[in-house]
Amino acid sequence: MDGRTSGRWRRLVAVAGVGVVLAGSLTACGDGSAATGTPTLNWYINPDNGGQQKIAEDCSAASGGAYSIEVSILPSDAAQQREQLMRRLAGGDTSIDLMSLDPVFVPETSEAGFLAPVPEDLRATFTDGVVDGAVQGATWKDELVAVPFWANTQLLWYRKSVAEAAGLDMTKPVTWQQLIEAAQAQDTAIGVQGQRAESMTVWVNAMIASAGGEVIENPDAKGPDIRLGIDSEAGKAAAAVMQRIADAGVGGPGIDNRDEAATANLFQQEGAAFMVNWPFVYAQGKAAAEGGTMDRAVFDDYGWTTYPAMAEGTPAAPPLGGIDIAVSAFSENTDAAYEALQCIVSEENQAAYMVSDGNPAALESVYDDPEVQEAYPMYDAIRTSLQAAAPRPQTAYYNEVSQGIADQWQPVSSVSDRTPSASQEYIGQVLKGEKLL
C-alpha cells in the first residue's frame, strides 16, 4: 500500500468496523430455512411499486421448493443504498444472498471482493439479447460480475402544443440550444435536475458524452492515476448549456433543489413544457389523469423523443441507468441464488416488471411484447435511447467522482467556463488523498 491509496483503505477499514457490529446482529437472523430444507434467499432491493416482491413470490412458487426468496427494501436514495450494502458486506454479512445494485456501484463492490463470480455456463444466459450499455454496466475488468435486470434511460418529454407553437420539428433530433430558444419564446421552462445529488452527475455525464468526451478516460486505474476528461472541449460544451439555461431564465423554479420526482411534478403541473427524465413520468402522469388530479387534456398533450443533442448532426448519448442484480460473495446459498436469478431476470418477468413498475427492461425482446407496447407507447423511443445511451464512469472510485461533480457543478447559476477545470482539479485532489469531499 502506498501513500496515495492509504486514504481509501482507511475508509474501508472504518466501514468494516461498522460492518462487524452489524454482522453480529444480522447473521443471528440468518437462514431460517433449516426446518424445511428449503434455503431462504434474502434479496435486498431498491424501492419500487411492489414489482420485485411479486417476482420474488412467483419465482419462489415456481422453484418447487428449491428456494424461497424474501425481500428487504433499501433506502430510496442511491448513495444511502450503497452505504447500507457496503457496510453489511464489509462485515461479511451472510444474510445477503441477492442485491439490486445501481450499475455505478458494481465496480467498487466487485473490486472489494464482495461479489460471487458469475458461473461461466450462465454468462451467455444473462447477456444474450441484452442492450450493450446494460452489459457494460454489469461488467468490471472484462468480467461479467452482476446480471442486468432493467436498463433505464432518459427521454426528452414535451408538451406537443407548446413544441408546435415554438416551431420545433420533434420528428427530428433537437438540440439543447433549440430547446432553450423555444422555452424562452413560449415563456416556459425546461425541467432539468439541478440538485446536488446523483442526478446532477447523470446530467453532466450525458452532456459530456454527447459532446464526444468522457468524464474518466481510464476507468480501470487506481484513484491517484485516474485521468479525468472534464476539463475538455466536451466539458466546456456541457458548462455552456448550463450557462445558457441560467442566463435565459428557463431553468424553472427551484432548479437547484430539483430531482427527478420534482421535475416530473413541475412538468405535470404545467410549470415546464420540456423536460429530460426517466420513463416513470408517463405512468405517473397517466395515474394522475385517471385519478382526477391532473386534467386529462394535459396528459394527452404529452410528447416524447430522444435526449437533446449538443449540436445539430451529432447524436446524443442519453443517460443510462437501471439495476443489476448480484450474488454476495458471503452468501451461503450461492447455487440457489444463481438459480433464482435466472428466474428473476427472465423475459416474462422483465416484461411484467416494466408494465407494473415502469422500469424499462434490459432485454431488447421485451419491447416487442404487445402488453409492454400498450402500456408504454414510447417503447421504441426507449429502445432507441438505450441503444445510444452512455453509462456513467465505470470506476471503483465512482463515489468520489460523482460527489465531486455534484459539489462543483451546483448551483446551476454558478456554472461558468471555469467550472470544468475547477471541478477536474478538485476531484483530482480528492482522488490523490489531498482533499476531502
Side-chain angles (χ1 to χ4, degrees):
M1 183 190 327
D2 60 31
R4 297 174 301 178
T5 57
S6 59
R8 174 174 169 74
W9 280 106
R10 279 197 298 274
R11 287 196 297 280
L12 283 175
V13 169
V15 166
V18 176
V20 168
V21 175
L22 282 169
S25 58
L26 295 169
T27 53
C29 299
D31 182 351
S33 58
T36 64
T38 298
T40 299
L41 304 175
N42 290 313
W43 178 16
Y44 281 73
I45 64 172
N46 56 301
D48 62 6
N49 295 330
Q52 289 172 101
Q53 173 70 52
K54 175 71 165 50
I55 290 174
E57 292 170 359
D58 290 348
C59 287
S60 296
S63 78
Y67 56 80
S68 176
I69 306 174
E70 293 185 355
V71 302
S72 297
I73 301 177
L74 293 164
S76 57
D77 180 75
Q80 292 177 10
Q81 290 174 19
R82 168 193 170 272
E83 181 179 353
Q84 184 170 138
L85 284 174
M86 292 299 280
R87 284 183 174 182
R88 290 172 180 270
L89 292 167
D93 181 2
T94 59
S95 76
I96 300 177
D97 297 294
L98 297 157
M99 51 191 145
S100 295
L101 280 178
D102 191 311
V104 296
F105 299 132
V106 166
E108 179 183 18
T109 316
S110 177
E111 189 75 7
F114 294 159
L115 305 184
V118 178
E120 182 72 34
D121 62 338
L122 290 179
R123 292 181 184 180
T125 301
F126 291 139
T127 56
D128 283 353
V130 175
V131 294
D132 286 345
V135 175
Q136 289 178 41
T139 300
W140 177 239
K141 293 185 174 176
D142 299 325
E143 290 282 342
L144 186 74
V145 296
V147 176
F149 176 34
W150 55 276
N152 217 350
T153 188
Q154 287 196 359
L155 300 178
L156 168 61
W157 301 86
Y158 60 93
R159 293 292 165 80
K160 289 182 282 190
S161 58
V162 177
E164 183 179 358
L168 289 175
D169 182 356
M170 304 306 280
T171 65
K172 299 177 181 177
V174 292
T175 65
W176 282 102
Q177 183 59 34
Q178 288 174 312
L179 283 183
I180 293 167
E181 292 171 0
Q184 201 167 22
Q186 297 301 311
D187 194 22
T188 184
I190 304 170
V192 290
Q193 293 82 50
Q195 189 181 48
R196 183 175 295 178
E198 179 62 21
S199 54
M200 172 60 77
T201 304
V202 169
W203 186 20
V204 171
N205 182 74
M207 289 195 291
I208 290 178
S210 295
E214 297 175 295
V215 169
I216 295 179
E217 296 174 353
N218 57 339
D220 288 354
K222 295 291 184 185
D225 301 322
I226 284 178
R227 291 195 307 275
L228 296 165
I230 304 172
D231 186 15
S232 61
E233 290 304 314
K236 291 171 184 171
V241 167
M242 286 191 174
Q243 279 183 277
R244 290 198 292 270
I245 288 175
D247 293 346
V250 295
I255 182 174
D256 292 319
N257 295 308
R258 198 187 305 140
D259 60 9
E260 294 92 335
T263 308
N265 290 336
L266 183 72
F267 186 78
Q268 198 170 306
Q269 295 162 6
E270 303 185 74
F274 303 98
M275 164 179 71
V276 287
N277 216 328
W278 311 101
F280 80 90
V281 301
Y282 182 78
Q284 178 175 309
K286 185 177 181 182
E290 291 174 349
T293 58
M294 180 175 72
D295 189 334
R296 179 77 201 191
V298 174
F299 178 67
D300 290 342
D301 200 28
Y302 274 32
W304 52 82
T305 186
T306 49
Y307 202 75
M310 296 294 285
E312 284 191 70
T314 303
L320 180 72
I323 286 293
D324 298 326
I325 304 177
V327 175
S328 168
F330 307 108
S331 168
E332 296 175 340
N333 303 294
T334 303
D335 291 344
Y338 273 111
E339 184 179 348
L341 201 40
Q342 292 176 72
C343 175
I344 292 170
V345 302
S346 67
E347 181 176 327
E348 177 185 5
N349 280 332
Q350 288 197 33
Y353 190 60
M354 184 169 175
V355 171
S356 67
D357 286 65
N359 292 321
L363 273 171
E364 289 196 58
S365 57
V366 169
Y367 297 88
D368 296 325
D369 186 307
E371 287 189 32
V372 169
Q373 294 182 357
E374 181 179 355
Y376 290 92
M378 74 296 300
Y379 68 90
D380 203 37
I382 296 173
R383 177 163 49 190
T384 300
S385 184
L386 284 172
Q387 291 165 342
R392 281 161 282 166
Q394 291 294 105
T395 170
Y397 302 85
Y398 183 80
N399 191 53
E400 288 84 349
V401 175
S402 180
Q403 283 196 35
I405 290 174
D407 286 347
Q408 296 292 305
W409 290 67
Q410 207 269 356
V412 174
S413 58
S414 73
V415 173
S416 70
D417 56 1
R418 292 192 63 257
T419 300
S421 59
S423 59
Q424 176 151 318
E425 181 180 357
Y426 173 76
I427 296 169
Q429 290 173 333
V430 170
L431 292 171
K432 291 173 183 174
E434 298 170 358
K435 182 169 284 190
L436 295 175
L437 285 169

